[in-house]
Amino acid sequence: MDYQKILSKITPTRQEKEAIKRFTNKLIKTINQIAEKKNIKAKATLVGSVAKGTWLKGEADIDIFIKFPLETSEEKLKKDGLQLGYECIKAMNGKAEERYAAHPYVTGHIKGYEVDLVPCYDIKDASQLKSAVDRTILHTRYIKKNLKKEQIKEVLLLKRFMKALGAYGSEFKVGGFAGYLCELLIIVYRNFERVLEAAALKWRKGQIIDIEDHGTGKYFNDPLIVIDPIDKNRNVAAALTQQKLSEFIIVARNFLENPKEDYFQEVEYSHDKEKIQTKFKERKSKCIILEFNPPNVPADTLYPQLKKTMDTLVSHLSMEGFKVNRSSYWTDEEKNSLIIFEFETWKLPAYRRHMGPRIWSRKHTKRFHKKYGNRIWVEGDRLFVERKRKTTKPETCLKSLLRGVEYLGVGKHVKEELKKGYRILDINEYLKGEPSQEVLRFLDAFLDPGKHLWRS
Amino acid sequence: MDYQKILSKITPTRQEKEAIKRFTNKLIKTINQIAEKKNIKAKATLVGSVAKGTWLKGEADIDIFIKFPLETSEEKLKKDGLQLGYECIKAMNGKAEERYAAHPYVTGHIKGYEVDLVPCYDIKDASQLKSAVDRTILHTRYIKKNLKKEQIKEVLLLKRFMKALGAYGSEFKVGGFAGYLCELLIIVYRNFERVLEAAALKWRKGQIIDIEDHGTGKYFNDPLIVIDPIDKNRNVAAALTQQKLSEFIIVARNFLENPKEDYFQEVEYSHDKEKIQTKFKERKSKCIILEFNPPNVPADTLYPQLKKTMDTLVSHLSMEGFKVNRSSYWTDEEKNSLIIFEFETWKLPAYRRHMGPRIWSRKHTKRFHKKYGNRIWVEGDRLFVERKRKTTKPETCLKSLLRGVEYLGVGKHVKEELKKGYRILDINEYLKGEPSQEVLRFLDAFLDPGKHLWRS
């Protein structure tokens, strides 16, 4: 496998590196100058992949942390930190946007770069941690110290590989491998191929990786446990879902067996409406789409709520007899969100059997008899009765579930949107409309849920 | 509750009793005379309900046992026993028919009576038991000794009650309460109402009734355990199914709460084809009928095989996704047998999801991949794949199951008949034909499986 060819595509050029260096130096200088002028005791520092030199070509996200002395009050840190951020962006003619992680911070769009300006405490080790963001300083320091220069290219290969299989990033939307986790894996296993070999051959359920021998692995119950070298109480892979871990393991095996450059490229999904229509028809199943407006909340709030909504509806539909084969959700995070359900059962008889008590308890059988009258019968040692179904079609069942959305286990913000309105459409009806290319690609991916695991 | 009215209908008249007495005396005398003439050391004796005086009016089944000395060889007992039977029937101008229980015996149809002439050993107690039929002698003796004269009417009430709910008789077709069991229950609980009260209020799962304190109840694992007073190793209720026991308990409660003469009458089922058709249509379900010739075997062989065939087919249909709501079987034991399946799911998509191995085992995932290629996907830590269904309709599924009837868990004789041929019909098609009144009543009962539990 000629990694050189791939590396030439994903390694930042010297020009890119120099431009970023100049730009970040300028940012730091600007912030420090403003701080001095305003007599704020704070110092800017570069953190994250740019600081570590592990960003993928053309995808630099610049993270500047503004460090405050430990004795600073949280209130003052927030206020001064935000102010410094805003003023720096203004001074550099950028556009500011306030965001929120552990506490608020500003993102600047400056000269084509996206820059996060995050206030934090100037801590020396994990014992001084005050908020989750503070850890980033220590992470950057740890990687700079422990990742050898020649391993940077291995990190780039691993990140690109993860990206291609859709498992790069610890945000909820992905539930994959964070950049820091990729770097740690390279430190542990030395290079890209050895990481893949470990995953493909050695990793077991609940695999523990504990670089600094903290011995705290047993306290975690996650699919993969990578003890943070700088904080023994944290699993760096906490956000990694079993799904993405499994997919990485499978793709690692597939790649090692048949290495191909294509494994560093995302698979392409079709947006050919006619093709997709035909595929759905061939399945001879029943698919319905629930479409509604996404609530205006951060992506890390939105995606878990969508997932929860889908899971709840699937479980209730199944309880009513409409067995769901597979389901999936998608959103553009702004105007449109949808959940698709494919049913294994979508036609039901007018009656459903309803299990009653065992015959042994006189009290319970009496109550059951009182409630259902003489339509009761016996099977084995149990009473049964038939009840007329409220709905015999999944669409009406879904509608009736959503009428009671208040009492469903559905995320708060999605619930509010569902109360305002929604549409339920058979997939054939839906495809008669004008779905976006993005939606069509989502549907094509739904039709072939393992496509991204193989390249041939 | 005026039991007198019921008793007047079910107690044999004096004429009937006298006629039976005369007839049975004649039988015994005839047999003994033939035995003497042929120098066979055997003596006839009256056993069963006629001997005990506990038969229901007009339903006397006459059981004559021909007792041989213990030292007789089994071969001689069979040969001489059969001969005596045949000659007695001939002498009395009856029609003989050979049957088989523990060993062969003759049934005679003489002067409108059905008479069983069964050879047996002349045993004194259970320790001398050589075959199952020998026990009958001891049973008859035990009841004659322990059942008080005034309790005979209580036995008649209980038998009639059991009959009305379809739970009288220990043959496989019924799986209910044998006559001897009814008699023992009256001895234990003293009268009809107390038996019902015990069942309604006191009986628990695995209830043990041990009249002679044999202490062997714990060795049985049956729904109801009634230790045979004359044989501590036998459960008199061994043939009683949980179904019939449960139904008796429920009906006992219903009767005690609202005693009605109707509880001594079987419920009537409709044979109105149009009504039955309408009822099936209202259910908006899918019912199919499997019709075939019953094998020419005794009822106690036929019914268990029918049940097993039904259970096996239900389980295989369900595995293929065709979930069965309820099913039932019926036969006239001669020309026609049928199994009805009502489906909860009868329409399935073209594909079915097929669960593969967990991702952890490289060996298993490799094999799965080799078998199914790149259509595999991951859910959680498991591989899945979709396979085209062989059948999407229950009729074709049933046909394909029956094509492989050789490998199904289906009773031997029924299997042979199914290999010769069968018909599969939708209930609507079936009802366009000319089903017999008996079949129609069976279908009506299928539509209302708890009808016999209540009288109003």
Side-chain angles (χ1 to χ4, degrees):
Chain A
M1 178 79 211
D2 180 14
Y3 292 119
Q4 220 40 61
K5 202 172 155 195
I6 297 150
L7 282 168
S8 71
K9 291 182 193 161
I10 63 175
T11 312
T13 58
R14 203 182 339 148
Q15 290 96 309
E16 181 177 348
K17 284 180 189 166
E18 280 167 5
I20 293 238
K21 189 160 191 184
R22 256 174 285 144
F23 179 65
T24 52
N25 283 342
K26 180 82 197 290
L27 278 168
I28 290 171
K29 212 171 144 189
T30 308
I31 295 167
N32 288 347
Q33 278 171 353
I34 299 169
E36 208 173 328
K37 206 159 59 188
K38 298 203 168 269
N39 207 16
I40 297 171
K41 273 186 196 152
K43 268 191 109 54
T45 187
L46 183 64
V47 297
S49 63
V50 172
K52 297 178 276 190
T54 56
W55 80 95
L56 290 166
K57 185 176 177 177
E59 294 177 14
D61 286 332
I62 296 165
D63 295 308
I64 306 277
F65 273 37
I66 308 169
K67 299 186 289 186
F68 286 78
L70 281 172
E71 60 273 16
T72 316
S73 77
E74 217 180 300
E75 203 186 354
K76 190 170 160 56
L77 175 137
K78 277 187 204 167
K79 194 176 135 270
D80 291 354
L82 276 177
Q83 199 193 359
L84 287 176
Y86 276 114
E87 297 214 2
C88 163
I89 293 162
K90 199 173 143 197
M92 292 188 70
N93 298 316
K95 230 185 101 198
E97 180 193 340
E98 203 167 315
R99 290 188 185 171
Y100 197 94
H103 46 66
Y105 65 94
V106 217
T107 298
H109 302 273
I110 314 168
K111 299 190 168 78
Y113 294 109
E114 189 172 302
V115 186
D116 285 347
L117 300 169
V118 183
C120 72
Y121 285 104
D122 187 11
I123 62 171
K124 297 286 166 272
D125 61 65
S127 69
Q128 298 173 316
L129 277 176
K130 291 206 175 186
S131 96
V133 298
D134 298 343
R135 238 187 246 110
T136 307
I137 306 262
L138 304 180
H139 289 166
T140 304
R141 204 179 293 159
Y142 185 87
I143 296 300
K144 280 169 92 169
K145 195 177 152 198
N146 291 281
L147 187 77
K148 297 190 185 93
K149 221 172 170 180
E150 65 270 25
Q151 287 179 314
I152 284 181
K153 65 179 196 306
E154 307 295 331
V155 170
L156 296 184
L157 287 172
L158 185 57
K159 283 187 175 181
R160 185 60 236 170
F161 187 84
M162 292 294 190
K163 226 178 172 120
L165 82 97
Y168 182 60
S170 60
E171 63 271 27
F172 264 112
K173 179 184 176 178
V174 179
F177 294 75
Y180 179 51
L181 179 50
C182 291
E183 290 151 0
L184 290 179
L185 290 174
I186 294 296
I187 290 173
V188 175
Y189 296 108
R190 286 183 288 157
N191 66 34
F192 167 72
E193 276 192 3
R194 280 168 191 268
V195 172
L196 263 57
E197 278 162 15
L201 302 167
K202 292 191 202 128
W203 287 3
R204 295 286 163 266
K205 208 178 163 75
Q207 180 74 29
I208 295 172
I209 297 168
D210 187 0
I211 310 175
E212 299 291 338
D213 283 327
H214 287 308
T216 48
K218 55 182 178 290
Y219 303 122
F220 294 92
N221 183 21
D222 292 309
L224 177 68
I225 296 143
V226 180
I227 303 301
D228 193 341
I230 62 96
D231 183 354
K232 65 176 197 286
N233 296 315
R234 187 171 172 264
N235 173 15
V236 181
L240 176 64
T241 61
Q242 179 63 58
Q243 181 70 24
K244 292 298 157 108
L245 172 60
S246 303
E247 295 192 345
F248 173 55
I249 290 171
I250 293 294
V251 180
R253 288 183 191 150
N254 294 344
F255 174 81
L256 291 172
E257 210 154 278
N258 184 19
K260 278 185 184 299
E261 221 186 297
D262 285 348
Y263 277 99
F264 295 87
Q265 279 299 324
E266 276 130 318
V267 290
E268 274 174 31
Y269 291 105
S270 167
H271 55 88
D272 181 328
K273 207 171 83 166
E274 275 69 42
K275 265 192 193 161
I276 291 167
Q277 261 169 335
T278 309
K279 279 192 199 171
F280 272 109
K281 273 182 189 147
E282 274 172 6
R283 298 181 65 73
K284 286 179 189 158
S285 67
K286 167 88 181 176
C287 286
I288 64 180
I289 299 261
L290 169 64
E291 200 179 29
F292 54 97
N293 295 334
N296 184 21
V297 291
D300 265 5
T301 307
L302 176 56
Y303 284 98
Q305 288 195 14
L306 284 179
K307 179 165 169 26
K308 201 180 167 195
T309 303
M310 177 182 81
D311 290 345
T312 299
L313 291 173
V314 164
S315 124
H316 279 84
L317 285 163
S318 298
M319 275 192 288
E320 294 296 323
F322 300 102
K323 205 172 147 195
V324 174
N325 181 30
R326 285 193 303 117
S327 60
S328 191
Y329 57 89
W330 173 88
T331 181
D332 61 7
E333 301 177 22
E334 288 190 349
K335 289 187 187 151
N336 194 6
S337 41
L338 52 89
I339 303 177
I340 181 166
F341 305 92
E342 184 185 50
F343 292 94
E344 182 160 327
T345 314
W346 61 94
K347 218 178 153 175
L348 291 171
Y351 297 88
R352 74 178 292 176
R353 101 205 237 100
H354 177 67
M355 193 169 80
R358 292 186 190 277
I359 55 124
W360 308 108
S361 158
R362 199 172 189 203
K363 197 177 113 197
H364 291 119
T365 55
K366 215 169 171 177
R367 197 187 298 156
F368 194 70
H369 180 197
K370 208 170 160 187
K371 191 162 175 192
Y372 296 109
N374 293 1
R375 299 264 323 150
I376 294 169
W377 74 89
V378 173
E379 282 182 29
D381 69 349
R382 234 182 224 295
L383 295 182
F384 284 84
V385 75
E386 272 185 345
R387 302 168 69 180
K388 214 171 163 77
R389 280 181 198 276
K390 281 166 278 165
T391 54
T392 58
K393 283 182 184 172
E395 284 96 339
T396 42
C397 182
L398 191 53
K399 256 179 223 162
S400 111
L401 285 171
L402 290 173
R403 224 174 285 129
V405 69
E406 200 56 68
Y407 310 102
L408 287 177
V410 159
K412 191 171 113 186
H413 304 98
V414 165
K415 185 186 287 183
E416 289 312 312
E417 289 302 324
L418 283 171
K419 279 200 236 166
K420 288 184 209 154
Y422 57 82
R423 292 201 307 156
I424 293 172
L425 284 172
D426 183 279
I427 188 70
N428 298 311
E429 290 304 311
Y430 184 82
L431 286 173
K432 280 179 195 155
E434 298 274 335
S436 68
Q437 288 196 1
E438 259 192 296
V439 167
L440 289 169
R441 286 201 189 91
F442 160 72
L443 293 174
D444 191 51
F446 180 74
L447 286 162
D448 192 353
K451 192 176 182 185
H452 58 305
L453 306 178
W454 325 87
R455 304 293 188 281
S456 53
Chain B
M1 180 79 213
D2 179 14
Y3 292 119
Q4 221 40 60
K5 200 170 157 197
I6 297 149
L7 282 169
S8 71
K9 292 182 193 162
I10 63 177
T11 312
T13 58
R14 203 178 344 143
Q15 292 94 305
E16 182 177 347
K17 282 181 192 168
E18 280 168 3
I20 292 237
K21 193 165 187 176
R22 256 175 285 139
F23 180 64
T24 52
N25 283 342
K26 179 83 196 290
L27 277 168
I28 289 169
K29 211 173 146 190
T30 309
I31 295 167
N32 289 344
Q33 278 172 351
I34 299 170
E36 208 172 327
K37 206 161 52 185
K38 297 201 169 269
N39 206 17
I40 296 172
K41 275 186 193 152
K43 268 190 108 57
T45 185
L46 184 64
V47 297
S49 62
V50 171
K52 297 179 275 191
T54 56
W55 80 94
L56 290 166
K57 183 179 181 176
E59 296 178 14
D61 286 331
I62 296 165
D63 296 307
I64 306 276
F65 274 37
I66 308 169
K67 297 188 288 185
F68 287 78
L70 281 174
E71 60 273 18
T72 317
S73 78
E74 219 181 299
E75 206 185 350
K76 192 171 158 58
L77 175 136
K78 278 185 202 169
K79 195 178 135 269
D80 290 354
L82 276 177
Q83 198 194 358
L84 287 175
Y86 277 114
E87 298 214 1
C88 163
I89 294 162
K90 199 175 146 196
M92 291 188 69
N93 299 317
K95 228 187 104 199
E97 180 193 342
E98 201 167 317
R99 290 189 186 171
Y100 197 92
H103 46 66
Y105 66 95
V106 217
T107 297
H109 303 274
I110 314 169
K111 300 190 168 79
Y113 294 110
E114 190 173 303
V115 186
D116 286 346
L117 299 169
V118 183
C120 71
Y121 285 102
D122 186 12
I123 63 171
K124 297 284 166 274
D125 59 65
S127 70
Q128 297 175 315
L129 276 175
K130 292 207 177 188
S131 98
V133 298
D134 297 343
R135 237 187 247 108
T136 307
I137 306 261
L138 304 180
H139 289 167
T140 305
R141 203 178 294 158
Y142 185 87
I143 297 299
K144 281 170 91 168
K145 194 175 154 198
N146 292 280
L147 188 77
K148 299 189 184 93
K149 224 175 166 178
E150 64 270 28
Q151 288 179 315
I152 283 180
K153 66 179 195 303
E154 307 294 334
V155 170
L156 296 184
L157 287 171
L158 186 57
K159 282 187 176 181
R160 184 61 235 167
F161 187 82
M162 292 294 189
K163 226 179 173 117
L165 81 96
Y168 182 60
S170 60
E171 63 270 30
F172 265 112
K173 180 184 176 179
V174 179
F177 294 75
Y180 177 51
L181 178 52
C182 292
E183 290 152 1
L184 289 178
L185 289 174
I186 294 295
I187 290 174
V188 175
Y189 296 109
R190 285 184 289 160
N191 66 34
F192 168 72
E193 275 192 4
R194 281 169 191 266
V195 172
L196 264 55
E197 278 162 16
L201 302 166
K202 291 193 200 125
W203 287 3
R204 296 285 163 265
K205 206 179 164 72
Q207 181 74 29
I208 295 171
I209 296 168
D210 186 359
I211 310 174
E212 298 291 340
D213 283 327
H214 287 308
T216 47
K218 57 181 177 290
Y219 303 122
F220 294 93
N221 183 21
D222 290 311
L224 176 68
I225 297 142
V226 180
I227 302 300
D228 193 341
I230 61 96
D231 183 354
K232 64 177 198 279
N233 297 314
R234 188 171 171 264
N235 174 15
V236 180
L240 176 64
T241 61
Q242 179 62 59
Q243 181 69 24
K244 293 298 157 107
L245 172 60
S246 303
E247 294 191 347
F248 172 56
I249 290 172
I250 293 294
V251 181
R253 288 184 192 150
N254 294 343
F255 174 81
L256 291 173
E257 209 152 280
N258 183 21
K260 278 184 183 299
E261 220 186 297
D262 285 347
Y263 278 98
F264 294 89
Q265 278 300 322
E266 277 130 318
V267 290
E268 273 174 31
Y269 292 104
S270 166
H271 56 89
D272 181 328
K273 207 171 84 167
E274 276 68 40
K275 263 192 193 162
I276 290 167
Q277 260 168 336
T278 309
K279 278 192 199 170
F280 271 109
K281 273 184 189 145
E282 274 172 6
R283 299 181 63 74
K284 288 180 188 158
S285 67
K286 167 90 183 174
C287 286
I288 64 181
I289 299 261
L290 170 63
E291 201 179 28
F292 53 96
N293 295 333
N296 184 20
V297 291
D300 265 3
T301 306
L302 176 57
Y303 284 99
Q305 289 195 13
L306 284 179
K307 179 163 168 31
K308 202 180 166 198
T309 303
M310 178 182 81
D311 290 344
T312 299
L313 291 174
V314 164
S315 124
H316 279 85
L317 286 163
S318 299
M319 275 192 286
E320 295 295 323
F322 300 103
K323 206 173 148 193
V324 173
N325 181 32
R326 285 193 302 116
S327 60
S328 191
Y329 57 90
W330 172 89
T331 182
D332 62 7
E333 302 177 20
E334 288 190 350
K335 289 185 188 152
N336 194 6
S337 41
L338 51 87
I339 303 177
I340 180 166
F341 305 91
E342 183 184 49
F343 293 94
E344 182 161 327
T345 313
W346 61 93
K347 217 179 153 175
L348 289 171
Y351 297 88
R352 76 178 292 178
R353 97 205 241 103
H354 176 67
M355 194 168 78
R358 293 187 191 275
I359 55 124
W360 308 108
S361 157
R362 199 172 188 203
K363 197 178 113 198
H364 291 119
T365 55
K366 215 170 170 175
R367 197 186 300 156
F368 195 70
H369 180 197
K370 208 170 160 187
K371 190 161 174 193
Y372 296 110
N374 293 0
R375 300 262 325 149
I376 294 169
W377 74 88
V378 173
E379 280 182 30
D381 70 348
R382 232 181 227 294
L383 295 182
F384 284 84
V385 75
E386 272 184 345
R387 300 167 70 178
K388 211 167 167 82
R389 281 182 197 277
K390 281 165 277 165
T391 54
T392 59
K393 283 180 183 173
E395 285 96 339
T396 43
C397 182
L398 191 51
K399 255 179 224 164
S400 110
L401 286 171
L402 291 173
R403 223 173 288 129
V405 69
E406 200 55 67
Y407 311 102
L408 288 177
V410 158
K412 191 171 111 187
H413 304 98
V414 164
K415 185 186 287 184
E416 290 312 312
E417 290 302 326
L418 284 170
K419 279 200 237 167
K420 288 184 209 153
Y422 55 82
R423 291 203 309 155
I424 294 173
L425 284 172
D426 183 278
I427 187 69
N428 298 311
E429 290 304 311
Y430 185 81
L431 287 172
K432 280 180 195 156
E434 299 275 337
S436 67
Q437 287 196 4
E438 259 193 294
V439 167
L440 288 168
R441 285 200 190 91
F442 160 72
L443 293 174
D444 191 50
F446 180 75
L447 286 162
D448 191 354
K451 192 175 182 186
H452 58 304
L453 306 178
W454 324 87
R455 305 290 188 279
S456 53

